[in-house]
Amino acid sequence: MEIRMDFLNCLDHDTSMKILRCLEDPSDLVRASFVSRSWRDFVIASGLCKQLCLSMFPHLLRVDCVIEPSCVMEKASEVGCSKFVEWETLKREHKAYAFLAQACLSFPFDDCIKDAISASSTDNYPEESIRNTLQKGDRVGRRASYWSSKGQRKAAVPETLVYKLVADICVITEINIQPFQAYFQWGSPIYSAESVRFHLGHPKCPMDDTLGEPLDGCADDKFIWTYSSPEFPMAQESSLQNFKLPEPVVCIGGILQIELLRRVQRQEMDGLFYICVAHVQVKGRPLSSAFGVEILGPSGKFVLKTLSSAPRSSPPPSLPEDDALYHGVPWHGLADLEQFVNGLGVGVLDEDWNAEDDEAADEMDDELAF
């Protein structure tokens, strides 16, 4: 008869951690936490889901704390016990980070721009407003649709466009930009930039949902940028050009700045350099249905809120094939863990654990239905 044992009870803490860290999919860590009560306690107490989520998305290191607005302490008499409070915090973080990591990888892709905030300059407002870049293509009916900068004698003068995203927390993967071709000018010149760079961040002060008319001016004094992309070359073409970020970026605060660097086209009529954009598109995964954020002042730290409206019953959509390439390694599953354990000559014990006796485990099961 084969002898099976629980290796977590046989190995030291560091070795057990090394084994469980072989699981690089948050869903597998959640499944591991349901093997037995001891496995669940180990995964939660060690903060494995939090560690995995932070390694996948380093921008989440700015999370100050995790709260559940709808959560009510049922054991008020035990609130004064530091161990109880610490354990409740660990359980809350386990659920939140496990779901957050999975959401960042599996929520549906969508267009993430909500509205235009400002442009560093506009040549003819409102005919050439930044808001025109929200429309697909370069025409609306018979009218040309585009944003145009003011003309400059020096080609090195940059321009910036600032947009509000659809959610305060989004996973951004790519930005697409279509330079404008002035078909009504002689030679149909294309007013693209030489290169482009992207910044993601949050407002220094809370913003109203209704933004009003876009403004001209520098946005650096109103926003804090927490991510800056590499510089991407732009082609002098009027097609929608794709700029894929090196890896998915979690944008906390919902603000995008497009920095257009160096002008390449001079207008024949006045001899000045211009940059014109017909359309901007941002692709990513909005997480507003499941999470909210509260920025804690200029420090950039924020409170992560798990919302009661988070989906619980339906499984998340399958990952596109390209997603696995972002992290440079294949996703491993529980089969890899089993091979690793078998290599140590230790079997896994199937404990007779009745999860119905553990109210917290039932609650976690409802929250993390992967």
Side-chain angles (χ1 to χ4, degrees):
M1 181 177 177
E2 182 181 2
I3 300 177
R4 304 175 68 85
M5 62 183 67
D6 187 341
F7 71 83
L8 290 184
N9 293 327
C10 300
L11 301 176
D12 60 86
H13 180 273
D14 290 343
T15 303
S16 298
M17 287 286 289
K18 185 175 182 180
I19 293 172
L20 290 179
R21 280 174 177 158
C22 291
L23 299 177
E24 295 178 313
D25 188 326
S27 299
D28 284 335
L29 270 179
V30 173
R31 295 187 185 103
S33 69
F34 280 94
V35 168
S36 68
R37 188 186 302 274
S38 64
W39 280 50
R40 171 178 171 268
D41 291 349
F42 186 90
V43 170
I44 293 176
S46 303
L48 285 167
C49 285
K50 179 178 180 179
Q51 293 178 36
L52 176 59
C53 186
L54 296 182
S55 67
M56 293 164 59
F57 301 99
H59 287 86
L60 294 172
L61 287 167
R62 296 189 295 115
V63 173
D64 185 73
C65 63
V66 177
I67 65 173
E68 294 178 279
S70 61
C71 179
V72 178
M73 281 283 190
E74 296 182 359
K75 302 178 181 179
S77 60
E78 299 183 44
V79 171
C81 176
S82 60
K83 289 186 177 181
F84 172 79
V85 174
E86 181 182 1
W87 180 244
E88 290 299 307
T89 300
L90 288 171
K91 287 197 299 181
R92 184 165 58 249
E93 290 187 345
H94 170 71
K95 292 190 294 181
Y97 281 103
F99 184 46
L100 179 58
Q102 190 70 4
C104 288
L105 294 171
S106 61
F107 267 39
F109 274 104
D110 204 350
D111 192 344
C112 291
I113 285 186
K114 178 180 181 180
D115 203 353
I117 296 178
S118 66
S120 51
S121 73
T122 302
D123 192 30
N124 295 301
Y125 185 85
E127 290 80 6
E128 297 174 339
S129 167
I130 180 180
R131 192 156 281 167
N132 293 334
T133 64
L134 303 177
Q135 302 290 331
K136 291 184 179 180
D138 59 359
R139 303 187 192 190
V140 175
R142 296 184 177 181
R143 179 180 63 84
S145 175
Y146 62 97
W147 161 83
S148 174
S149 71
K150 289 185 179 296
Q152 297 287 343
R153 297 187 182 278
K154 296 181 180 180
V157 178
E159 296 284 348
T160 57
L161 304 175
V162 180
Y163 296 90
K164 172 67 176 172
L165 303 181
V166 296
D168 286 337
I169 177 168
C170 297
V171 182
I172 304 303
T173 57
E174 62 186 66
I175 296 99
N176 303 319
I177 302 176
Q178 180 182 349
F180 178 68
Q181 182 172 17
Y183 55 85
F184 46 80
Q185 295 182 359
W186 185 85
S188 299
I190 300 173
Y191 291 94
S192 69
E194 183 178 304
S195 62
V196 63
R197 184 164 49 213
F198 307 105
H199 307 277
L200 296 168
H202 60 85
K204 290 183 178 179
C205 301
M207 297 180 63
D208 294 333
D209 290 337
T210 304
L211 298 177
E213 289 298 314
L215 303 174
D216 279 2
C218 178
D220 288 339
D221 60 337
K222 301 176 182 177
F223 304 101
I224 295 176
W225 308 118
T226 57
Y227 170 82
S228 295
S229 76
E231 190 173 320
F232 297 92
M234 288 191 75
Q236 198 169 5
E237 301 175 355
S238 61
S239 60
L240 191 63
Q241 300 179 33
N242 175 261
F243 304 99
K244 194 168 188 177
L245 301 181
E247 59 183 7
V249 177
V250 179
C251 176
I252 305 298
I255 303 295
L256 165 70
Q257 183 189 73
I258 298 176
E259 186 179 11
L260 300 160
L261 304 169
R262 295 177 293 279
R263 302 155 190 253
V264 296
Q265 183 62 52
R266 192 192 301 266
Q267 183 174 253
E268 184 178 3
M269 183 173 60
D270 58 11
L272 301 179
F273 289 95
Y274 291 82
I275 299 177
C276 301
V277 173
H279 181 50
V280 171
Q281 185 182 69
V282 179
K283 303 297 289 183
R285 305 181 194 273
L287 306 184
S288 57
S289 63
F291 298 96
V293 298
E294 179 182 344
I295 306 296
L296 300 177
S299 67
K301 293 282 188 179
F302 66 94
V303 176
L304 179 66
K305 301 178 181 179
T306 58
L307 305 179
S308 59
S309 58
R312 301 186 182 188
S313 57
S314 58
S318 59
L319 289 175
E321 293 181 0
D322 290 345
D323 277 26
L325 301 178
Y326 274 120
H327 303 287
V329 293
W331 291 96
H332 301 294
L334 287 171
D336 298 307
L337 174 63
E338 183 179 357
Q339 294 177 4
F340 192 93
V341 174
N342 289 340
L344 296 175
V346 180
V348 178
L349 173 64
D350 293 325
E351 294 186 14
D352 184 15
W353 176 39
N354 184 1
E356 294 180 355
D357 294 336
D358 194 329
E359 182 178 347
D362 282 342
E363 180 184 352
M364 182 165 56
D365 192 21
D366 291 336
E367 292 282 350
L368 301 170
F370 295 134

